[in-house]
């Protein structure tokens, strides 16, 4: 892990540090475009072919039904079942708190305006399953989808070596009332949910994190179909802002927790303490050796870096430029820093709040914007699964109140028919 001094970095150097692009991005774009085109043209046949090519499994069908899900879920260990139940309760409680009914507003006498919420009817949920199968992502996406009342919830996840799924995903499906899991992963799953196939329903909006193939596929289908996406949520990342009050072993554990996601993950350390940086790097080497995913985490750490700053406020300045998916404030003095946070997907405050708590069970959603998109995107929430439709109603009194204003503005814009729509009502109002 390289160490940089913030005061010695030019604005261009900082901009380059904040980039997440890798050398093979162009080749990924070409491959994804080819996959999408094939799925669009060949449908299910392409999915069977890609399951064999990428997942190395020959599928008899592209989904698990309710009975198969129940059978697989029955093998879940009791401890894991209890943990999923607790996570489900916490995530449900936090997301249910986001449901609210807005008030009707009278903007002027006789003119009332309001918004009503409607669920997105058909949603597609992508649950990654490459180097790690993520039941937590299943919960994070399906809980708000079910709370919102989405009519069709399509779940896609790559098939495992046995051509099925694991007991953890199966139990999540059973818990949430999802009666099918579609066995498709990667860019091909995104294409299938965007265009629809004989087996997989077309979705109005696609959710879920993934690797760079998945992220780019989501961006392509959003640009070329009527399918929306939650956000560009690609390889995971964390920025830890720490001072001398942080525990180096805690900080190292947080960085490694991110690094083990994949070789293209980023784990960034920013600190005003050179000693803390040095001790954390030492702890990384010690803890790394004990990880089952050591090789993956080591490669991600090699592509990550530390930044020495003069103050926590300066560290926040860098953090806002980086716009991290996860921001950990590893300091006892985190409260004054909260107002300084401008760009971040989710924030973890203090030395006892690891990112992994939010990843699994605190209640917040872990599907978050990556690659700097936290500058403009929020993480998944109840709002992600609904539309807010505006309503307005004008009474006879309201028409008299607002009519002249609309006529003048329409005339100023040269839109006579707009003006006439008001004038004709004003002139005939006595007839209603």
């Amino acid at each position: 892990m390289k160490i940089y001094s913030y005061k010695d970095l030019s604005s261009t150097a900082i901009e380059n540090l904040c980039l997440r692009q890798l050398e093979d991005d162009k080749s990924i774009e070409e491959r994804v475009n080819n996959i999408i085109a094939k799925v669009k043209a060949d449908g299910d046949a392409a999915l069977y072919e890609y399951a064999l090519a990428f997942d190395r499994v020959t599928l008899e069908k592209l989904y698990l039904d309710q009975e198969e899900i129940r059978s697989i879920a029955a093998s879940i260990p009791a401890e894991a079942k209890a943990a999923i139940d607790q996570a489900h309760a916490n995530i449900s409680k936090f997301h249910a708190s986001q449901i609210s009914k807005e008030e009707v507003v009278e903007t002027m006498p006789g003119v009332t305006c309001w918004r009503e919420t409607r669920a997105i009817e058909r949603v597609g949920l992508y649950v990654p399953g490459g180097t790690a199968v993520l039941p937590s992502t299943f919960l994070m996406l399906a809980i708000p989808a079910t709370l919102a009342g989405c009519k069709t919830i399509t779940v896609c996840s790559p098939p495992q070596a046995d051509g099925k799924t694991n007991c953890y995903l199966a139990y999540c499906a059973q818990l949430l009332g999802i009666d099918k899991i579609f066995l498709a992963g990667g860019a091909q799953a995104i294409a299938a949910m965007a265009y629809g196939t004989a087996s997989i329903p077309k979705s109005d909006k696609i959710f879920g994190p993934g690797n760079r193939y998945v992220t780019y596929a989501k961006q392509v289908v959003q640009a070329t179909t009527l399918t929306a996406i939650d956000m560009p949520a690609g390889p995971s990342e964390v920025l830890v802002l720490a001072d001398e009050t942080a525990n180096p072993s805690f900080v190292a554990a947080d960085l490694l927790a991110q690094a083990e996601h994949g070789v293209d993950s980023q784990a960034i350390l920013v600190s005003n303490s050179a000693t803390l940086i040095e001790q954390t790097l030492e702890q990384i080497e010690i803890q790394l050796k004990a990880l089952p995913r050591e090789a993956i985490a080591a490669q991600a750490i090699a592509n990550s870096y530390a930044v020495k700053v003069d103050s926590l406020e300066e560290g926040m300045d860098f953090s806002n430029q980086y716009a991290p998916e996860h921001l950990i404030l590893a300091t006892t003095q985190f409260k004054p820093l909260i107002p300084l946070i401008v760009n971040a997907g989710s924030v973890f405050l203090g030395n006892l709040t690891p990112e992994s708590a939010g990843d699994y069970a605190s209640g917040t959603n872990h599907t978050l914007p990556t690659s700097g998109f936290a500058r403009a995107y929020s993480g998944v929430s109840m709002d992600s699964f609904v539309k807010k439709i505006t309503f307005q109603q004008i009474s006879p009194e309201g028409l008299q109140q607002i009519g002249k204003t609309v006529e003048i503005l329409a005339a100023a814009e040269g839109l006579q028919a707009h003006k006439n729509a008001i004038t004709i009502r004003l002139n005939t109002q006595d007839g209603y």
Side-chain angles (χ1 to χ4, degrees), residues 86-423:
Q86 183 63 71
H88 175 271
N90 291 357
I91 297 165
S92 297
K93 185 175 184 179
F94 181 72
H95 286 76
S97 73
Q98 299 167 23
I99 301 172
S100 62
K101 184 177 181 180
E102 299 184 22
E103 294 183 0
V104 175
V105 177
E106 188 175 56
T107 57
M108 62 193 312
V111 180
T112 53
C113 303
W114 69 97
R115 296 200 306 175
E116 293 188 11
T117 299
R118 300 289 185 271
I120 297 172
E121 291 190 297
R122 304 175 299 178
V123 296
L125 314 182
Y126 182 68
V127 180
T131 60
V133 179
L134 306 177
S136 55
T137 297
F138 201 140
L139 297 176
M140 297 289 177
L141 298 178
I143 287 173
T146 54
L147 287 173
C150 300
K151 290 182 179 178
T152 302
I153 301 175
T154 300
V155 177
C156 284
S157 190
Q160 303 302 292
D162 60 358
K164 298 181 180 179
T165 192
N166 64 37
C167 62
Y168 308 108
L169 293 189
Y171 180 68
C172 288
Q174 184 178 332
L175 184 63
L176 291 158
I178 305 294
D179 57 12
K180 281 186 179 179
I181 297 176
F182 292 95
L183 301 169
Q188 60 271 27
I190 303 303
M193 290 189 284
Y195 291 103
T197 72
S199 297
I200 299 179
K202 174 178 168 56
S203 297
D204 297 314
K205 188 173 182 179
I206 296 173
F207 297 79
N211 59 21
R212 287 180 292 152
Y213 290 88
V214 169
T215 301
Y216 183 66
K218 287 169 66 179
Q219 293 171 303
V220 170
V221 299
Q222 177 174 243
T224 57
T225 71
L226 293 177
T227 303
I229 65 170
D230 51 354
M231 73 193 82
S236 200
E237 59 199 34
V238 68
L239 186 150
V240 180
L241 177 59
D243 64 7
E244 67 281 353
T245 67
N247 184 320
S249 64
F250 291 3
V251 175
D254 290 334
L255 295 170
L256 288 171
Q258 200 61 52
E260 72 173 353
H261 270 296
V263 297
D264 49 5
S265 297
Q266 279 205 329
I268 310 303
L269 172 59
V270 180
S271 180
N272 60 352
S273 169
T275 301
L276 185 281
I277 292 175
E278 180 182 348
Q279 292 175 343
T280 299
L281 296 184
E282 291 173 356
Q283 277 295 317
I284 286 175
E285 292 303 314
I286 293 170
Q287 295 181 31
L288 187 60
K289 296 174 183 177
L291 296 179
R293 295 166 67 86
E294 177 185 359
I296 291 172
Q299 192 168 340
I301 288 294
N303 293 327
S304 301
Y305 56 86
V307 178
K308 170 64 172 63
V309 293
D310 289 336
S311 66
L312 292 178
E313 290 74 18
E314 192 174 69
M316 276 308 315
D317 182 64
F318 177 79
S319 177
N320 284 325
Q321 293 180 74
Y322 185 84
E325 175 190 17
H326 305 99
L327 171 61
I328 299 175
L329 300 184
T331 170
T332 58
Q333 303 302 312
F334 60 81
K335 287 185 179 180
L337 299 176
I338 293 175
L340 303 181
I341 300 169
V342 178
N343 302 318
S346 190
V347 183
F348 304 82
L349 303 173
N351 293 316
L352 297 180
T353 314
E355 177 208 321
S356 53
D359 279 348
Y360 291 106
S362 67
T364 60
N365 205 291
H366 79 197
T367 307
L368 302 165
T370 67
S371 304
F373 283 102
R375 295 184 187 93
Y377 285 83
S378 302
V380 164
S381 67
M382 286 297 300
D383 282 348
S384 307
F385 291 88
V386 301
K387 302 157 292 183
K388 302 291 182 73
I389 302 173
T390 57
F391 294 79
Q392 50 263 296
Q393 193 268 324
I394 300 176
S395 69
E397 179 190 8
L399 188 61
Q400 293 294 330
Q401 291 278 344
I402 201 172
K404 194 66 174 177
T405 297
V406 177
E407 286 180 315
I408 292 170
L409 290 173
E413 292 188 354
L415 298 175
Q416 185 63 36
H418 281 65
K419 179 178 182 293
N420 290 345
I422 288 289
T423 304

